[in-house]
Amino acid sequence: MKAINFLGLELKNPVIIAAGPWNRDGAALKESIASGAGAVVTESIVSDTMLDVRPRIACDEKGAQNIRLYSDIQIEGWEREIGIAKRDGGVVIASVSAHTPSELAYLASKLEKFGADAIEISVSNPAREALEVMASHADVVYEMTKEVVSAVKLPVIVKLSQNTTNISKVAKAVKAAGGSGVSAINAVRGILGVDVEAAQPVLSTYGGISGEYIRPLGLASVATISQTVDLPICGIGGITCGKHVLEYMMLGASAVQVGTTVMLEGRKAAGRIVRELEDWLIAHQMDCVDTLKGKALSNLKSFDEMKIEPAVSTAKSVPCTANCSRCMVSCLYGAINKADGAIHVDSDKCTGCGLCTFICPAKKLKLAW
């Protein structure tokens, strides 16, 4: 796989390990770099560190809730940590978070002196804020981005939140302020679940939901930004395999960030994802992922552009999965039945909703016009 250029930085591949406690210090960052990732992002760095609550992370088979806030290393300590991280090479992006533009600029300028290769501004924290997050105010994001851009000579990327009514407007504010790109999306404010016997949420406060739960939101955000703003995008949310990297890139991302998968599987997951991406490229006789960027956007339409055409489900000759009746059970219109061991679709009842084509494990059903 050929190296890519992202934010003016040369990365050996587009897979970046995202900000989080797995990148809490120089040693951890060095391990992340050694995993094969194209770059790493530090845990979010703040002016005043805070003690962690306990417990602070919960997970299930699809994702996690995290109420870890920020790095517990003071800003001056990051000179040593970034030095350790970069000792054997590797691209280190410093994540910063603050309440005012001047505070952000101060942190960013310090980290530039310490050797960071780029700055990522985090403008939301789903564990501490209500839905009216700072990231939903384009004017505030503009001022923060502008202040940081004026304070450093490094690329400046802004990590956007899905908890906003118009993510494109916020992305446009980043561009207007001179930002180099955006990351989308941060973890989404939520509650992972409740122990119904104890009437106890799995964590006793709201937190950031990440993992597979938010991949559809991340994909939609990346596509929306791609269609409205000319900015490099780093896609984030629910990436567990090489295919997910391809999905983000085909919707307009130039690179991606992986976090929850690394937390749950270890850093080896990043290397596995890179290898899966390489295998796909080889199988398709490609050596550069850049040619995939935005390839699916031409097939993404607004609702008003969707065609109203007579389409009905049809059954292919492939055999059904044994003891399966999922298509019949889920058909909203009662159009599917089985007779003499074969699946039949009543074309007079079928309205072409397409649900059965996704439900069928054997991929026996398809829409035909």
Side-chain angles (χ1 to χ4, degrees):
M1 187 190 317
K2 286 184 178 179
I4 67 161
N5 185 290
F6 179 59
L7 308 177
L9 304 171
E10 185 170 303
L11 309 185
K12 59 187 177 183
N13 62 68
V15 178
I16 299 169
I17 297 185
W22 45 85
N23 284 341
R24 63 189 173 277
D25 59 19
L29 287 163
K30 191 174 178 181
E31 286 187 46
S32 291
I33 291 167
S35 73
V40 294
V41 187
T42 70
E43 190 167 23
S44 292
I45 300 164
V46 294
S47 298
D48 299 310
T49 61
M50 299 177 64
L51 293 176
D52 279 322
V53 298
R54 305 179 188 186
R56 55 184 175 273
I57 301 173
C59 71
D60 61 17
E61 69 281 357
K62 290 188 177 180
Q65 179 183 350
N66 189 348
I67 55 175
R68 164 83 171 178
L69 296 177
Y70 311 110
S71 168
D72 53 15
I73 299 174
Q74 296 284 350
I75 179 63
E76 297 298 339
W78 275 98
E79 181 173 15
R80 173 181 179 273
E81 305 306 327
I82 289 179
I84 292 171
K86 292 181 66 68
R87 195 168 289 161
D88 298 323
V91 177
V92 177
I93 301 168
S95 172
V96 294
S97 183
H99 295 290
T100 66
S102 59
E103 187 183 359
L104 270 179
Y106 169 77
L107 293 170
S109 61
K110 280 282 190 180
L111 290 159
E112 180 179 36
K113 292 176 183 176
F114 297 162
D117 297 294
I119 301 295
E120 182 178 82
I121 305 173
S122 179
V123 292
S124 68
N125 189 315
R128 297 198 74 188
E129 298 171 321
L131 283 176
E132 190 64 15
V133 296
M134 179 170 59
S136 67
H137 298 284
D139 55 340
V140 174
V141 173
Y142 172 86
E143 293 298 333
M144 290 192 155
T145 307
K146 185 178 180 183
E147 192 81 8
V148 174
V149 168
S150 66
V152 300
K153 296 179 181 178
L154 302 177
V156 176
I157 186 169
V158 182
K159 190 173 187 178
L160 303 184
S161 169
Q162 235 276 332
N163 292 136
T164 178
T165 55
N166 191 335
I167 199 169
S168 290
K169 185 177 180 180
V170 181
K172 288 178 181 178
V174 172
K175 181 177 176 65
S180 305
V182 295
S183 299
I185 53 175
N186 198 358
V188 176
R189 184 175 186 259
I191 296 170
L192 190 64
V194 175
D195 179 340
V196 295
E197 299 300 329
Q200 176 68 41
V202 293
L203 291 177
S204 297
T205 188
Y206 299 94
I209 302 296
S210 60
E212 292 194 51
Y213 287 111
I214 71 168
R215 187 169 61 252
L217 303 179
L219 290 171
S221 297
V222 166
T224 300
I225 296 166
S226 298
Q227 290 180 323
T228 54
V229 187
D230 182 19
L231 271 179
I233 304 168
C234 193
I236 311 174
I239 296 170
T240 67
C241 62
K243 175 180 178 291
H244 297 156
V245 178
L246 293 165
E247 290 178 338
Y248 272 101
M249 297 192 77
M250 287 184 178
L251 288 173
S254 299
V256 301
Q257 291 184 27
V258 180
T260 302
T261 301
V262 167
M263 179 172 67
L264 299 179
E265 296 183 24
R267 294 179 181 85
K268 67 181 186 299
R272 172 182 58 76
I273 291 169
V274 170
R275 289 192 299 273
E276 290 173 357
L277 180 60
E278 289 176 331
D279 289 345
W280 190 93
L281 291 172
I282 291 169
H284 291 77
Q285 299 182 331
M286 302 171 66
D287 62 0
C288 183
V289 292
D290 284 341
T291 56
L292 300 172
K293 181 182 173 183
K295 196 171 182 179
L297 287 175
S298 61
N299 295 318
L300 184 65
K301 302 174 175 63
S302 69
F303 183 81
D304 291 337
E305 293 175 299
M306 295 292 288
K307 295 180 179 179
I308 301 175
E309 293 183 348
V312 295
S313 181
T314 60
K316 296 186 287 184
S317 58
V318 298
C320 287
T321 301
N323 303 315
C324 179
S325 59
R326 293 180 65 188
C327 60
M328 291 180 284
V329 171
S330 65
C331 182
L332 303 173
Y333 304 95
I336 302 176
N337 61 79
K338 182 179 282 189
D340 301 323
I343 290 292
H344 300 276
V345 181
D346 186 336
S347 59
D348 291 331
K349 292 182 178 179
C350 178
T351 66
C353 75
L355 175 61
C356 62
T357 66
F358 290 91
I359 288 287
C360 177
K363 299 302 177 186
K364 181 180 180 68
L365 296 158
K366 68 172 185 178
L367 287 187
W369 281 264

